[in-house]
Structure formats: C-alpha cells, structure tokens
Amino acid sequence: MAPPPPADLPLAQRIQKLAQTLQFAWFAGHATLLLCVTRYAFSWLRMNYYGRMAQFCYRTTFLSAALTYGIVVYKTWRARQKTGAKPANVVSYLTDENVQYLLLALVWLFMPQYPIAMLPFAIYSVFHVATYTRANLIPTIMPPTKVAPAAGASPSAKPQYTQHPMSDAIGSFVKQYYDSSMSVVANIELVLWIRILLSAIIFQRRSWILLVIYTVFLRTRFAQSSHVQNSFSTFEARIDNLIGAQGTPPAARQAWETVKGLARQFHQATDVNKYISGAAAPKKTS
C-alpha cells in the first residue's frame, strides 16, 4: 500500500490527498460492499429477499466487488507496463485470483440471487477494510506520535513513533483471525457449489450455466489455495466416515467411490499446470 499523506499537512489536506488516490476508491468499494451485505442481511431475516432494497443491496454488493477487484487488476497491469515486463497471456491472467474474483463478481451480478455467494466477498472485504484503516486511514486522521528519545541516546538515532492503539488492535485482529477466516471462505465456496448443484438437479433458471462457470472457478481455486484443498479433504473424510458406518447399503458405498473416482479424473484432466508452459502454477494461501 502507498504511505499515508505527510503528517505535517493540515487534517483537511491530508484527507483530501488520501481521497484522491485510486487506493481510496478500492477501500470505498469494500466498505460499500460490507454496508450492502449488512443491509441485505436485515431483509433476509425478514424473508424479504426480493424487495426493492434487498435487490439493490444484492446487486450493489457484486458491483462493488467487481470495482475493487478491477482496480487491483488494473494496478497490476499498470505495474507490468511500467517495468516493461513481458505481457502475460490469457491463461496467466486467468490464474490470477484477482481476475478470478473479478469475473465471478460479474457473473453473480447478472445471475439469479444466491445470498450465500455474498459471504466470501464480505469476509475478504472485512480484512481489506481493516488493513487499509490501519495502514492509511488512522495514520491520516491521527498521525503517529513521536517518542521522546531516552536519556543518553545518540542525536543521530532514528526517531521512534508510537501508533494509535486502534491500529495495534486491528493488527492483532487480522493476525489472529485471517487464516481461520480463509478456511471459512473455502468451506463456504464448497457449500455454494453443492447449493448450485442442487439447483441444477431441479433445473432452476440458468443453474446449469452457473454450475459450469462455478465449477471452473472452484477447480482453479483448488489448484491455487491450500485452504480450498483442505476444505475438500475434510469434506471427503466426513463422507467417508458416514459411508463407512455399519448399516450403510453397499450401493451407497459404491456410488460414493464412483463419485470420488470421477472427481479425481476431472482433477487430472483439468490440471492447469499442463497449459502454462509446463510450469507449476503458484499456490496461494487465500
């Protein structure tokens, strides 16, 4: 992230400089997303899923998500242009998780409502808003305080500053809950795939198209994210335990083994590493 404006400027000028950055638009997009998800949750609790405000919040959630991920993709592209790096091919772009979530946000924007689809974006936004608030917003409004040098300290020693206590609290929150939250996101994405599959089985509107798109997305995430891999492994172990219980019909066990065999064949046939110059795609932890 870019550093906050200089602390010696007046507060109004610091805020103005901060608000003029593309990074602030990214932050505003994530904040808007969280507000929309919160407002939609109230409509969902009242079972008013398709009210005017609920629909507005649902669509705005994914519009905001597309904006934020679009900004990240644009900044990445601009950075490559400035460094003179070789232009990436289409496959390389599609293996970028920011491009994946950008495209997925656009898909959800125009597809029928699946409220659970909002949750992964909301969880990501919580941490993005928290990180930006800690690194940029708080230092802009309440700059770090210079610590008086200790007695006998060297005059040429580097000045020390203390951060606002809220910054430290946010940093502790992110450090403590980030990994577990990414595991929650992976579990939600798996549950969402099952939800779409059930919709496709009963032939809900555009569900088969969505199933294909989301399967491609989840397959790509599986190749890149250890959290998604762990989610699938845990799900498989739980089903194995259920199927292995006494009294389970042999037909059910055979059906489950068939499903696992087909899943492994699909995994091997869609290994993206085969299509990126033979090199392994980088794994990510989110």
Side-chain angles (χ1 to χ4, degrees):
M1 287 189 177
D8 56 352
L9 293 176
L11 176 60
Q13 291 186 24
R14 296 200 302 268
I15 294 176
Q16 183 180 12
K17 282 184 172 294
L18 187 72
Q20 290 174 345
T21 62
L22 190 60
Q23 201 169 24
F24 183 83
W26 171 85
F27 162 76
H30 282 295
T32 301
L33 189 153
L34 290 176
L35 290 174
C36 289
V37 170
T38 302
R39 179 59 183 84
Y40 182 88
F42 287 110
S43 297
W44 186 85
L45 290 173
R46 295 198 303 267
M47 297 185 181
N48 186 24
Y49 321 115
Y50 297 105
R52 181 176 300 178
M53 180 56 69
Q55 292 192 53
F56 172 80
C57 290
Y58 183 87
R59 301 301 171 187
T60 305
T61 293
F62 295 111
L63 185 62
S64 300
L67 169 67
T68 58
Y69 286 100
I71 288 174
V72 175
V73 171
Y74 170 75
K75 291 185 70 173
T76 302
W77 176 79
R78 286 289 298 166
R80 292 182 64 90
Q81 293 290 316
K82 290 180 179 179
T83 58
K86 181 180 179 181
N89 56 40
V90 175
V91 176
S92 296
Y93 273 118
L94 293 178
T95 58
D96 183 336
E97 67 177 1
N98 292 304
V99 174
Q100 294 163 14
Y101 278 102
L102 167 61
L103 296 176
L104 185 64
L106 293 174
V107 169
W108 288 124
L109 181 61
F110 297 105
M111 283 290 177
Q113 290 188 22
Y114 285 79
I116 192 176
M118 305 167 75
L119 296 181
F121 290 96
I123 293 173
Y124 281 128
S125 290
V126 166
F127 288 96
H128 290 317
V129 167
T131 302
Y132 184 89
T133 299
R134 177 178 181 268
N136 294 81
L137 202 57
I138 292 177
T140 296
I141 299 174
M142 295 170 286
T145 305
K146 187 176 181 179
V147 178
S154 172
S156 60
K158 186 177 181 181
Q160 299 295 318
Y161 294 87
T162 58
Q163 299 291 333
H164 192 276
M166 190 179 298
S167 295
D168 295 332
I170 293 174
S172 298
F173 169 81
V174 172
K175 184 177 180 180
Q176 181 175 357
Y177 293 106
Y178 182 80
D179 282 338
S180 58
S181 296
M182 294 306 100
S183 296
V184 171
V185 168
N187 290 331
I188 292 173
E189 290 176 339
L190 176 56
V191 170
L192 180 54
W193 183 86
I194 296 173
R195 169 68 178 86
I196 298 170
L197 176 63
L198 295 176
S199 297
I201 291 174
I202 61 177
F203 292 97
Q204 287 188 352
R205 184 167 60 100
R206 287 186 279 182
S207 57
W208 279 99
I209 297 174
L210 185 55
L211 179 63
V212 172
I213 295 173
Y214 197 76
T215 299
V216 173
F217 166 80
L218 199 57
R219 173 63 183 89
T220 306
R221 296 298 302 135
F222 182 89
Q224 296 176 308
S225 171
S226 60
H227 293 292
V228 176
Q229 293 170 15
N230 293 337
S231 178
F232 271 89
S233 297
T234 302
F235 176 77
E236 180 182 357
R238 288 177 178 175
I239 299 299
D240 284 339
N241 288 335
L242 291 174
I243 295 297
Q246 290 184 351
T248 302
R253 296 179 182 177
Q254 183 60 42
W256 174 236
E257 291 300 325
T258 301
V259 169
K260 289 199 295 184
L262 291 174
R264 291 189 178 95
Q265 291 178 21
F266 175 78
H267 174 270
Q268 294 173 1
T270 56
D271 186 358
V272 295
N273 295 339
K274 300 176 181 178
Y275 309 104
I276 311 178
S277 303
K283 288 188 177 182
K284 299 192 178 182
T285 58
S286 61

